[in-house]
Amino acid sequence: MPEAYVVGAGQSDFGSFPDETYRSLFATAFEAARDSVPAGLDRSAIDEAYVGTLGVGGRQLGLPGPAVADHVGLDGIPVTRVENACAAGGSAVRQAVNAIRAGSADVVLAGGVEVMTDVSNDAVRFWLGVSGETEWERLSGTTFSGVYAQMASAHMAEYDTTTEHLSHVAVKNHANGAKNPHAHLRFECSLEQATNAPTVADPLTLFHCCPTTDGAACVLVVSEDVVEEFTDERIRVAGVGAAADSVGLFQRDTYTAVPASQQAAETAYAEAGMGPEDVDFAEVHDCFAIAELLAYEDLGFCEPGEAGPYVESGATKLDGELPVNPSGGLKSKGHPIGATGTGQLSEAFHQLSGTAGERQVEGARIGLTHNVGGSGGAAVVHLLEREEPRSSGDASGPRPRASEDGGEAR
Amino acid sequence: MPEAYVVGAGQSDFGSFPDETYRSLFATAFEAARDSVPAGLDRSAIDEAYVGTLGVGGRQLGLPGPAVADHVGLDGIPVTRVENACAAGGSAVRQAVNAIRAGSADVVLAGGVEVMTDVSNDAVRFWLGVSGETEWERLSGTTFSGVYAQMASAHMAEYDTTTEHLSHVAVKNHANGAKNPHAHLRFECSLEQATNAPTVADPLTLFHCCPTTDGAACVLVVSEDVVEEFTDERIRVAGVGAAADSVGLFQRDTYTAVPASQQAAETAYAEAGMGPEDVDFAEVHDCFAIAELLAYEDLGFCEPGEAGPYVESGATKLDGELPVNPSGGLKSKGHPIGATGTGQLSEAFHQLSGTAGERQVEGARIGLTHNVGGSGGAAVVHLLEREEPRSSGDASGPRPRASEDGGEAR
């Protein structure tokens, strides 16, 4: 089974772009990913592509994968759309890794894209709603903020988690996102601002919820057989895990954990022969602040019920013991559904390459990404590891390009 | 790289079922697939699942994979939706094979499902339209019958193909479908009926177009390491090929061939070390009669331009030299978008198992399936091969169950 390596990744800016289309955003991310490959990567080298997207707004609901691949000049290769709601991007990367490991491809593109800001709020609510439990949640009026508010309420009731704990997530992620030139909401916020913001779904305030965002992100995955053609900075996919669960929150045994995240993490850790103690930084799925707290517990960063005090301790800040969401996370960087998972991988790639600019986690060698679909109907976890150089005296191979902002472009 | 084997497959009836849901249809197909496994297959043995669906009607557009998997009692395993429009099912099977070959799973479910008849004709046209080229085909009024009509007109102009040639496809497929207890349109038709039926999009008549159908189909794929636990009738996935192309017909160089089909077939034949001359029967994507004629040429069954005379010769009838669409094809069996590709694999499995009842192709050892998305934006080809028994004197292992109608249930 050939090992899979990430040799390049990039993203468009995340934000609101009335002059862009899903094709143009994808093309920007694709070129940024290609540009980040130390020795370059011609599009003719790409054997296959996977594209994650939900299709918000109903644009190109069938064949969006071939549509964007064609737009960037990839024809005649297999292109497959994968979708697991907000975990579509992470699922696309997982399929890319599978294709490498199956020996059916040497160079695979995993991309994600979503355009959300050109339709009405009602339309966004519909398109996200049909990723929740359609029959018994959406049609009875439950929104995603409502579902996550139920999880927050349950966590508060069971573990003395507070609104301020939720706000600490927002403060940290906005502080990080303010350093990220590609982030949607590039500003800092205070604990008071976050806590006293208008309520969206009690106990969640506006600052406990991620924005509606346009964007794209692409990741280039290659097999060990060809990795040396592209880089001598070897960033290996050390572990991959995924799991699905009931789509409806009400169908699950617990509201204070996401079983699919736990299962996906367990699989990824086992495959990598690693544990949470090995992780240097993580990009986790903070669609709502409570989701980041649950992720700490589900991924083993702290004990169940301890996530509130853990975030308050500063452990997950950029200079903490385990920085979480150095990119700004979904909260500040933004959450363009299909692009979120590939965007997490892009951040992890640049952190491990040492090209994350102001938000660089010093000495990062192992990164974890965690992408959730719906309220936990699906989850995907990746572990990336920067391998030590094979021969320290060899300076003749390709070197990573230096960049102040992460080597990405738009 | 572990080889992949199909050990079971089944489908719901295809048709119009106002009392069914996508969940209930999927469950029927899932149980039919499990029932077809000679030694049985407990759901706890399933390591992973892929689900193909377009989501016609807007039901559960996000996470439909986890939704149906949960409904049949599969929790905690990875479940991923794949979509390539009408090639969603074939793409799901391909991902299942990749998972086996990557060594990440031993038993994988590939399923497909679609419910189409409970929404208006206008709605169906919309949901299919967004699988065509959205911006320059659908929004300018082009329908799928319109796109395929252009392909038919071009083939007629270039090769003297006639309306009667198209009608021969309908006559043959209805003759086969009339023998299939799971087919949607279980009746025969005459050449005159097909030719003189009302025009849908000139030159295509009603009988040159497939129906709008509800249905589900499931396939169980396992690795060589465990195949003996389930069967001693070994049906191997000998080759898989896939390709994508421009979504819009107008964007391609040719209207008289589907380049993605040609590329997918080339890849599958090369992987299997086979050619068209080795194929004993084929299930091809006859969404419109012209599509079956193009498939003959693209898959190498006859020379370019010869498909009309080829079908007229009877070569592809059930008792011909190369039976095509013994199931009745999309034309008669029906075309529930996401379930069509897995339905093709189900038919191939039962043909190779000798359990295809009245429509059995005698002595079938190698079968080909061909699934197309849109007007050729994606294509997937599988080659299945029934291996000779390993030891002819060994009668102690599990034996295939006999069945008059294909071992399927509803």
Side-chain angles (χ1 to χ4, degrees):
Chain A
M1 187 191 80
E3 294 269 11
Y5 289 81
V6 177
V7 295
Q11 62 166 98
S12 72
D13 283 348
F14 282 4
S16 176
F17 306 115
D19 294 334
E20 301 278 354
T21 69
Y22 69 93
R23 285 187 173 88
S24 67
L25 289 168
F26 191 89
T28 299
F30 177 67
E31 292 306 327
R34 292 211 304 135
D35 287 346
S36 74
V37 179
L41 190 148
D42 194 84
R43 70 194 68 216
S44 66
I46 298 172
D47 297 315
E48 175 158 16
Y50 291 92
V51 176
T53 188
L54 181 59
V56 168
R59 52 181 77 75
Q60 202 67 51
L61 283 177
L63 296 176
V68 294
D70 179 56
H71 185 67
V72 299
L74 300 176
D75 279 327
I77 62 169
V79 183
T80 306
R81 175 204 182 188
V82 299
E83 180 276 317
N84 260 342
C86 308
S91 299
V93 177
R94 181 170 179 269
Q95 293 313 116
V97 172
N98 254 12
I100 298 291
R101 292 178 176 176
S104 66
D106 278 329
V107 181
V108 184
L109 170 69
V113 61
E114 209 77 50
V115 174
M116 305 177 71
T117 68
D118 65 346
V119 294
S120 69
N121 283 339
D122 278 351
V124 168
R125 198 150 42 230
F126 168 77
W127 287 100
L128 298 185
V130 288
S131 296
E133 218 300 318
T134 293
E135 287 156 340
W136 298 293
E137 283 182 347
R138 177 170 67 87
L139 297 181
S140 63
T142 307
T143 61
F144 265 107
S145 42
V147 170
Y148 276 92
Q150 292 174 59
M151 297 164 90
S153 297
H155 205 270
M156 286 173 160
E158 189 165 341
Y159 297 120
D160 297 327
T161 302
T162 65
T163 305
E164 283 69 26
H165 289 143
L166 298 173
S167 297
H168 277 290
V169 173
V171 172
K172 170 182 69 69
N173 289 352
H174 271 281
N176 294 348
K179 298 182 168 68
N180 184 348
H182 299 300
H184 188 177
L185 304 180
R186 287 192 68 190
F187 53 82
E188 302 194 350
C189 76
S190 69
L191 199 65
E192 293 67 34
Q193 272 181 305
T195 302
N196 299 326
T199 296
V200 172
D202 185 65
L204 302 178
T205 75
L206 185 63
F207 274 82
H208 302 147
C209 306
C210 70
T212 297
T213 304
D214 307 327
C218 286
V219 183
L220 289 159
V221 188
V222 312
S223 85
E224 61 182 297
D225 300 334
V226 302
V227 62
E228 287 177 6
E229 296 174 24
F230 302 107
T231 186
D232 57 8
E233 184 93 352
R234 295 162 69 108
I235 297 172
R236 186 171 66 96
V237 182
V240 185
D245 200 349
S246 310
V247 174
L249 176 62
F250 71 95
Q251 297 169 296
R252 295 189 213 128
D253 292 333
T254 175
Y255 279 34
T256 57
V258 177
S261 293
Q262 296 172 328
Q263 182 61 54
E266 186 181 319
T267 304
Y269 286 136
E271 190 175 290
M274 296 176 183
E277 66 282 3
D278 297 308
V279 175
D280 294 320
F281 71 92
E283 286 281 307
V284 311
H285 198 91
D286 62 317
C287 49
F288 298 92
I290 181 63
E292 179 161 328
L293 297 186
L294 296 182
Y296 293 169
E297 301 173 8
D298 293 332
L299 301 170
F301 297 165
C302 68
E303 293 299 312
E306 292 299 316
Y310 188 63
V311 70
E312 190 173 5
S313 77
T316 57
K317 291 168 77 169
L318 200 52
D319 58 358
E321 64 179 33
L322 174 47
V324 173
N325 284 329
S327 72
L330 285 62
K331 177 68 198 83
S332 167
K333 185 188 182 189
H335 182 23
I337 310 296
T340 289
T342 48
Q344 292 176 327
L345 267 289
S346 178
E347 178 69 13
F349 170 78
H350 286 290
Q351 289 287 351
L352 295 172
S353 300
T355 55
E358 275 190 75
R359 63 191 191 281
Q360 180 68 47
V361 176
E362 292 308 319
R365 202 176 65 79
I366 294 172
L368 178 149
T369 63
H370 163 253
N371 195 195
V372 175
S375 61
V380 187
V381 171
H382 285 88
L383 282 160
L384 299 190
E385 176 183 25
R386 177 169 51 77
E387 294 182 340
E388 298 306 321
R390 293 293 163 105
S391 60
S392 58
D394 176 16
S396 63
R399 300 300 312 167
R401 291 175 190 170
S403 164
E404 278 183 42
D405 72 357
E408 299 138 89
R410 186 186 121 77
Chain B
M1 187 191 81
E3 294 270 11
Y5 289 80
V6 178
V7 296
Q11 63 167 97
S12 71
D13 283 349
F14 282 6
S16 176
F17 306 113
D19 295 333
E20 301 277 354
T21 70
Y22 68 94
R23 286 187 173 87
S24 67
L25 289 167
F26 191 89
T28 299
F30 177 67
E31 293 306 328
R34 292 211 303 135
D35 286 347
S36 74
V37 179
L41 190 148
D42 193 86
R43 69 193 69 215
S44 67
I46 298 172
D47 298 315
E48 176 159 15
Y50 292 92
V51 176
T53 188
L54 181 58
V56 167
R59 52 182 75 77
Q60 202 66 50
L61 283 177
L63 297 175
V68 294
D70 178 55
H71 185 67
V72 299
L74 300 176
D75 279 328
I77 62 169
V79 182
T80 306
R81 176 204 181 186
V82 299
E83 179 276 318
N84 260 342
C86 309
S91 299
V93 176
R94 181 170 178 271
Q95 294 314 115
V97 172
N98 253 11
I100 298 291
R101 292 179 175 176
S104 67
D106 278 328
V107 180
V108 184
L109 170 69
V113 62
E114 209 77 51
V115 174
M116 306 177 71
T117 68
D118 64 348
V119 294
S120 69
N121 284 340
D122 278 351
V124 169
R125 198 151 41 232
F126 168 78
W127 287 100
L128 298 185
V130 288
S131 297
E133 218 299 317
T134 293
E135 286 155 340
W136 298 293
E137 283 182 347
R138 178 169 66 87
L139 297 181
S140 64
T142 307
T143 61
F144 265 107
S145 41
V147 170
Y148 276 91
Q150 292 174 59
M151 298 164 90
S153 296
H155 205 272
M156 287 172 159
E158 190 165 341
Y159 296 121
D160 298 327
T161 303
T162 66
T163 304
E164 283 70 25
H165 289 144
L166 298 174
S167 297
H168 277 289
V169 173
V171 172
K172 170 182 69 69
N173 290 351
H174 271 280
N176 294 348
K179 297 182 169 66
N180 184 348
H182 300 300
H184 188 177
L185 304 180
R186 286 192 69 189
F187 53 82
E188 301 194 349
C189 76
S190 69
L191 199 66
E192 294 67 33
Q193 272 180 304
T195 302
N196 298 328
T199 297
V200 172
D202 185 64
L204 303 178
T205 75
L206 186 62
F207 274 81
H208 301 147
C209 306
C210 70
T212 296
T213 303
D214 307 327
C218 286
V219 184
L220 289 158
V221 189
V222 312
S223 84
E224 62 182 296
D225 299 334
V226 302
V227 62
E228 288 178 5
E229 297 174 23
F230 302 107
T231 185
D232 57 9
E233 183 92 353
R234 296 162 68 107
I235 296 172
R236 186 170 67 95
V237 181
V240 185
D245 200 350
S246 310
V247 174
L249 176 63
F250 70 95
Q251 297 169 296
R252 296 188 213 129
D253 291 334
T254 175
Y255 280 34
T256 57
V258 177
S261 293
Q262 295 172 328
Q263 182 60 55
E266 186 180 319
T267 303
Y269 285 137
E271 189 175 291
M274 295 177 183
E277 67 282 2
D278 297 307
V279 175
D280 293 320
F281 71 92
E283 286 282 306
V284 310
H285 199 91
D286 62 317
C287 48
F288 298 93
I290 182 63
E292 177 160 329
L293 297 186
L294 297 181
Y296 293 169
E297 301 173 9
D298 293 332
L299 301 171
F301 297 166
C302 69
E303 293 297 314
E306 292 299 316
Y310 188 62
V311 70
E312 189 172 7
S313 76
T316 56
K317 292 169 75 169
L318 201 50
D319 59 357
E321 64 181 33
L322 174 47
V324 173
N325 283 329
S327 72
L330 284 62
K331 177 68 199 82
S332 168
K333 184 189 182 190
H335 182 24
I337 309 296
T340 289
T342 48
Q344 292 176 327
L345 267 288
S346 178
E347 178 70 13
F349 170 79
H350 286 288
Q351 288 288 352
L352 295 171
S353 301
T355 54
E358 274 189 76
R359 63 190 191 281
Q360 181 67 47
V361 176
E362 291 307 319
R365 203 176 64 80
I366 294 172
L368 178 150
T369 64
H370 162 253
N371 195 196
V372 175
S375 62
V380 187
V381 170
H382 285 88
L383 282 160
L384 298 189
E385 176 182 26
R386 178 169 50 79
E387 294 182 341
E388 297 306 321
R390 293 292 164 106
S391 61
S392 57
D394 176 16
S396 63
R399 300 301 311 169
R401 291 175 191 169
S403 165
E404 277 184 42
D405 72 357
E408 301 138 87
R410 186 184 123 73

